[in-house]
């Protein structure tokens, strides 16, 4: 009999219960015990959902108060020494400060979890790192599951992935120098879990999907030889990418089983799977853990049947990866169009699909005839629906020419025209786009959506907020303004709601990081813009000021990456469709008198394939998509873009090829570390490195910002350097926002004085060097 399980379950709650509990705790409205009680009730509910669906093991250890990598560091006691916390007695307030910073320390660096929109906190490795043990939270969760009558399968982030995903800060030549004490710590954890009666531990090693350093690959066998002693049965899990080149290694490891992602990852022949060597279990991730389309059960079943016939009870059925990346329950969507809803599956529905496949394998197709018939009907409905294809979009795609992706002039000519037009000071100050979204703003949007207020009332309230934001920016002395985006619920959802081909949910929330949740739209058909989306808001804001007003758009790659994307055509085709819709918006903004337009692409690096051999194809179409939406304007119209929370240095030639006049990037959490690559590459256009972390409530002092700007000046010419926060300000409070921006403007003014003094000193030296 085969076994059904999942690598992980969404932790935030079907109605974002953990988000609201965390934020209440951070505000001081609740205490640690109340937060722990809410977390315990969520875990119990999630385990019950798995058990009710018929899964054999419930997953324990996939829960985290903020992030599973930080949770792993807390378990090991390997928290950054600079905070001065005792890992063994770490409380939730201190845990939160690691993630969010405090008055003495900036937050841990945050970056994307592989090619997903989830963000993890980056471990800080040094010669002082210790793995002497930290919290007992994991062991308490195991006890909770057992007491409730569940059979737990514990999940841990593997030691080699943990080391590879961190950054060496000091005193080490390579993170692997920490492997011996780290393995000792893992051995202690596994022995303790064995003593608790845990029979299976899933150890995740997702770095196997990367171009892994040979030094790491060489450590897998000795590492798992050490871990398999005095331990529960180990299921080594890989996901997100192809690990076929590592099959010999995986089969040689002394582990009880291996989990493979067969959706996004390894494409293996039936023969290879059916001949998996005994006695290893083979867990097959055949239900997509990262997208919300319903599984074609019959097609998957026919691929599984010969493998199951060969492996028997060693054949496990699972999702491709943790269901962290999809919403919780489609049944909550009572207002979703019935045809669209029939094409979808959220976490709870995916668990049911896994169980259906298991039953079909064990008991035959007749045992699940109704479920297979429903799946067949959904597949046929989606393939034949007239809502999928738009002839106008198809015709326009075919007409794209090379000239459509090229600005009229090169950057050097454009920037001269732009400087003459705008007359900005040295080190111009701006923000990334959004300003604090107060409860009043959110309530107004919700009331309008429920038709409780008229369109005129809504318009007046939004315009009042825009007027407030513009006046505050002028008072602060910012040079380039934004309208603050009060009308926008989310930077992708807002645009998707106005484009044909997009669908939306009421409760399709997924975690991005910490308490930050997003509700991605889903792209089911050809994308088309029926009318302007942002022009009236930006034009109104520009009418309130003589200073330049940036129009704010979300770029085509980010619109793609942060949506659940149709899987019936290549992703690059969908990206070009979005780019054409945005091109029309860019041109309309310019026509309305908006001379600076920011096209945000924070997900540009996120979309990069995990294997370097696949990069060129992706980067070519991603760059073209950006160029396509940005290239239809005059030289004097300044195109900005924004990127954050990713490593960019290895793709700088392609970022330069996007040819944005100004790029703003997140650099504050890395202490301007990212700029080293921009300097080495000699990035040709203007750069605005983020000078403070907006995801932390900590307000930086002017001298801190000035120090970061000083580092930036060492690698960026003064004439190319902008000053800005590292991301939008929608999650912040007004008081901290105003203070932080005031400090930022003050630091920029200090820098102008310093640059002026440098110029005078240089002129004096040049004058003295002239012959008499």
């Amino acid at each position: 009999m085969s076994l059904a399980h999942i690598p992980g379950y969404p932790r935030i709650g079907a109605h974002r219960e953990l988000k609201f509990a965390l934020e209440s705790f951070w505000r001081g409205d609740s205490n640690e015990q109340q937060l722990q009680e809410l977390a315990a009730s969520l875990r119990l509910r999630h385990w019950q959902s798995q058990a009710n669906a018929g899964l054999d093991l419930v997953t324990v250890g996939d829960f985290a108060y903020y992030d599973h990598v930080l949770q792993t560091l807390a378990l090991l006691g390997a928290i950054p020494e600079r905070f001065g916390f005792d890992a063994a007695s770490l409380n939730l307030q201190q845990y939160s400060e690691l993630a969010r910073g405090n008055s003495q320390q900036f937050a841990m660096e945050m970056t994307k979890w592989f090619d997903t929109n989830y963000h993890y906190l980056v471990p800080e490795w040094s010669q002082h790192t210790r793995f002497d043990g930290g919290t007992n939270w994991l062991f308490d969760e195991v006890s909770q599951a057992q007491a409730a009558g569940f059979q737990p399968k514990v999940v841990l982030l593997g030691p080699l992935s943990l080391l590879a995903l961190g950054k060496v800060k000091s005193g080490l030549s390579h993170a692997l120098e920490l492997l011996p004490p780290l393995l000792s710590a893992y051995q202690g954890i596994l022995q303790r879990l064995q003593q608790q009666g845990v029979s299976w531990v899933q150890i995740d090693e997702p770095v196997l999907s990367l171009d892994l350093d040979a030094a790491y690959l060489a450590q897998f066998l000795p590492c798992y030889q050490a871990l398999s002693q005095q331990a529960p049965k180990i299921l080594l899990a890989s996901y997100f990418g192809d690990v076929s080149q590592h099959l010999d290694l995986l089969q040689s490891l002394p582990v009880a089983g291996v989990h493979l992602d067969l959706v996004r990852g390894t494409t293996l022949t039936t023969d290879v799977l059916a001949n998996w060597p005994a006695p290893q279990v083979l867990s097959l991730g055949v239900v997509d853990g990262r997208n919300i389309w319903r599984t074609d059960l019959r097609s998957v079943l026919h691929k599984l049947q010969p493998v199951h016939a060969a492996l028997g009870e060693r054949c496990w059925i699972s999702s491709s990866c943790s269901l962290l990346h999809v919403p919780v329950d489609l049944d909550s969507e009572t207002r979703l169009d019935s045809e669209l809803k029939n094409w979808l599956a959220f976490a709870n529905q995916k668990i049911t699909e896994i169980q259906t496949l298991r039953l079909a394998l064990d008991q035959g197709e007749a045992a699940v005839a109704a479920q297979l018939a429903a799946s067949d009907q959904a597949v046929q409905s989606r393939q034949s629906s007239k809502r999928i294809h738009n002839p106008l979009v198809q015709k326009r795609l075919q007409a794209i020419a090379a000239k459509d992706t090229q600005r009229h002039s090169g950057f050097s000519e454009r920037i001269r025209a732009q400087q003459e037009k705008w007359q900005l000071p040295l080190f111009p100050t701006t923000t990334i786009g959004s300003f604090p979204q107060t409860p009043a703003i959110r309530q107004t949007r919700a009331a309008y959506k429920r038709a409780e207020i008229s369109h005129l009332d809504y318009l007046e309230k939004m315009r009042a907020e825009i007027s407030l934001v513009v006046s505050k920016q002028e008072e602060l002395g910012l040079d380039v303004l934004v309208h603050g985006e009060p009308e926008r619920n989310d930077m992708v959802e807002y645009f998707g709601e106005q484009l044909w081909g997009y669908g939306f949910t009421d409760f399709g929330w997924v975690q991005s990081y910490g308490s930050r949740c997003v509700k991605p739209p889903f792209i089911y058909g050809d994308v088309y813009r029926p009318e302007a989306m942002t022009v009236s808001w930006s034009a109104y804001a520009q009418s309130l000021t003589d200073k330049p007003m940036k129009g704010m758009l979300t770029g085509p790659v980010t619109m793609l990456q942060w949506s659940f994307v149709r899987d019936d055509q290549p992703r690059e085709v969908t990206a070009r469709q979005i780019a054409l819709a945005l091109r029309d918006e860019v041109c309309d903004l310019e026509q309305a008198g908006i001379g600076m337009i920011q096209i945000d692409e924070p997900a540009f690096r996120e979309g990069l394939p995990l294997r370097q051999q696949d990069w060129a194809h992706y980067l070519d179409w991603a760059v073209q998509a950006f160029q396509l939406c940005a290239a239809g304007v005059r030289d004097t119209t300044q195109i900005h873009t924004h990127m954050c929370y990713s490593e960019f240095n290895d793709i700088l030639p392609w970022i330069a090829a996007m040819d944005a006049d100004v790029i703003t990037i997140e650099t504050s959490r890395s202490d301007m570390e990212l700029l080293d690559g921009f300097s080495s590459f000699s990035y040709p256009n203007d750069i605005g490195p983020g000078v403070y972390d907006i995801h932390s409530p900590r307000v930086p002092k002017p001298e801190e910002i000035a120090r970061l700007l000083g580092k930036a000046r060492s690698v960026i010419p003064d004439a190319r350097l902008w000053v800005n926060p590292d991301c939008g300000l929608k999650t912040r409070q007004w008081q901290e926002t105003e203070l932080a921006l005031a400090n930022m403007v003050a630091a920029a003014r200090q820098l102008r004085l310093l640059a002026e003094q440098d110029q005078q000193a240089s002129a004096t030296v040049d004058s003295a060097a002239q012959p008499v």
Side-chain angles (χ1 to χ4, degrees), residues 12 15-25 27 30 515:
I12 205 73
H15 299 284
R16 296 178 292 164
E17 294 91 332
L18 183 58
K19 165 191 173 65
F20 298 123
L22 280 169
E23 292 172 356
S24 174
F25 174 68
R27 290 192 305 267
S30 60
S515 70

Side-chain angles (χ1 to χ4, degrees), residues 557-678:
V557 174
T558 300
M559 288 290 296
L560 184 85
Q561 287 294 127
W562 291 0
S563 301
F564 293 115
V565 184
R566 58 190 292 191
D567 56 1
D568 60 339
Q569 70 179 14
R571 292 172 71 87
E572 56 262 41
V573 174
T574 306
R576 291 188 189 101
Q577 293 178 355
I578 300 169
L580 287 172
L582 292 173
R583 181 186 182 92
D584 293 342
E585 188 73 12
V586 169
C587 292
D588 284 350
L589 282 167
E590 182 187 60
Q591 187 67 28
I594 304 301
M596 292 187 180
I597 302 169
Q598 182 172 308
I599 306 170
D600 290 339
E601 284 290 23
F604 188 86
R605 176 63 168 80
E606 174 188 311
L608 197 66
L610 298 179
R611 298 284 187 192
Q612 193 164 354
Q613 65 186 22
D614 302 320
W615 284 11
H617 175 68
Y618 162 77
L619 288 166
D620 286 345
W621 66 253
V623 168
Q624 185 196 64
F626 183 88
Q627 293 172 329
L628 186 60
C629 70
V633 294
R634 296 184 293 270
D635 284 355
T636 52
T637 296
Q638 190 171 78
I639 297 295
H640 294 233
T641 191
H642 171 67
M643 297 182 178
C644 58
Y645 299 109
S646 291
E647 299 291 342
F648 303 114
N649 292 346
D650 48 4
I651 59 169
L652 284 175
W654 287 274
I655 293 178
M658 293 166 68
D659 201 24
D661 298 305
V662 183
I663 180 174
T664 53
I665 54 172
E666 176 274 321
T667 55
S668 61
R669 284 199 177 195
S670 65
D671 201 39
M672 293 286 169
E673 180 181 299
L674 283 173
L675 287 185
D676 293 342
F678 281 81

Side-chain angles (χ1 to χ4, degrees), residues 89-303:
S89 61
L90 189 74
N91 59 42
L92 287 177
Q93 177 60 40
Q94 295 169 329
Y95 173 97
S96 298
E97 290 176 13
L98 294 170
R100 305 175 73 233
N102 58 32
S103 59
Q104 286 76 43
Q105 292 293 332
F106 55 87
M108 293 176 64
E109 184 178 347
M110 185 165 64
T111 195
K112 297 292 177 66
W113 179 248
F114 295 80
D115 59 347
T116 75
N117 186 30
Y118 179 81
H119 304 64
Y120 76 95
L121 291 164
V122 180
E124 300 176 11
W125 304 134
S126 76
Q127 74 273 27
H128 302 297
T129 301
R130 296 291 179 267
F131 305 100
D132 299 330
T135 68
N136 289 313
W137 299 339
L138 174 63
F139 308 112
D140 294 340
E141 291 170 21
V142 170
S143 297
Q144 180 193 2
Q146 291 171 329
F150 300 114
Q151 184 176 358
K153 176 203 65 179
V154 173
V155 59
L156 293 169
L157 179 59
L160 292 169
S161 290
L162 182 68
L163 288 178
L165 293 172
K167 283 188 176 181
V168 172
K169 294 296 183 179
S170 65
L172 300 172
S173 58
H174 199 290
L176 283 173
E177 294 175 35
L178 296 173
L179 185 57
L182 178 59
L183 282 182
S184 178
Y186 268 83
Q187 287 175 316
I189 291 168
L190 292 171
Q191 290 170 13
R192 186 167 173 181
L193 291 172
Q194 187 177 43
Q195 292 166 4
Q196 284 188 282
V198 173
S199 58
W200 280 94
V201 174
Q202 171 189 314
I203 300 185
D204 291 354
E205 293 287 9
V207 292
L208 283 167
S209 63
L210 305 178
D211 293 316
L212 198 56
D213 187 327
Y216 279 101
L217 282 174
Q219 292 299 326
F220 267 86
L221 182 58
C223 174
Y224 281 89
Q225 286 174 334
L227 294 183
S228 62
Q229 303 172 15
Q230 296 183 324
K233 296 176 183 177
I234 293 176
L235 177 71
L236 187 139
S238 70
Y239 39 80
F240 296 158
D242 184 11
V243 296
S244 56
Q245 64 180 322
H246 302 312
L247 287 185
D248 289 343
L249 171 63
L250 291 171
Q251 293 172 351
S252 72
L253 296 179
V255 294
V258 172
H259 171 83
L260 300 176
D261 179 345
L262 298 185
V263 177
R264 282 183 176 254
T266 308
T267 302
L268 297 176
T269 65
T270 299
D271 182 65
V272 169
L273 296 174
N275 288 284
W276 197 262
Q280 276 188 351
V281 160
L282 183 57
S283 171
L284 302 176
V286 293
V287 171
D288 194 344
R290 287 184 54 180
N291 212 332
I292 61 173
W293 303 109
R294 194 165 176 166
T295 303
D296 184 344
L297 293 177
R298 196 176 299 275
S299 174
V300 171
L301 178 60
H302 289 168
K303 295 175 183 177

Side-chain angles (χ1 to χ4, degrees), residues 693-766:
D693 176 19
I694 65 89
H695 293 97
S696 170
R698 182 175 180 272
V699 175
K701 297 179 174 61
E703 53 268 28
E704 295 178 42
I705 296 175
R707 181 186 67 82
L708 289 176
L709 287 171
K711 295 185 72 171
R713 284 188 75 199
S714 68
V715 296
I716 302 172
D718 287 354
R720 296 284 178 265
L721 180 60
W722 286 63
V723 180
N724 46 262
D726 65 8
C727 204
L729 299 162
K730 65 183 293 183
T731 61
R732 301 270 50 93
Q733 303 297 315
W734 263 113
Q735 182 178 4
E736 64 194 57
T737 294
E738 290 186 79
L739 181 56
L741 290 178
N743 290 348
M744 186 186 81
V745 171
R749 288 171 176 167
Q750 292 175 19
L751 208 63
R752 288 169 194 157
L753 291 174
L754 183 61
E756 184 178 341
Q757 293 169 2
D758 290 345
Q759 291 173 356
Q760 291 173 351
S762 177
T764 301
V765 171
D766 290 344

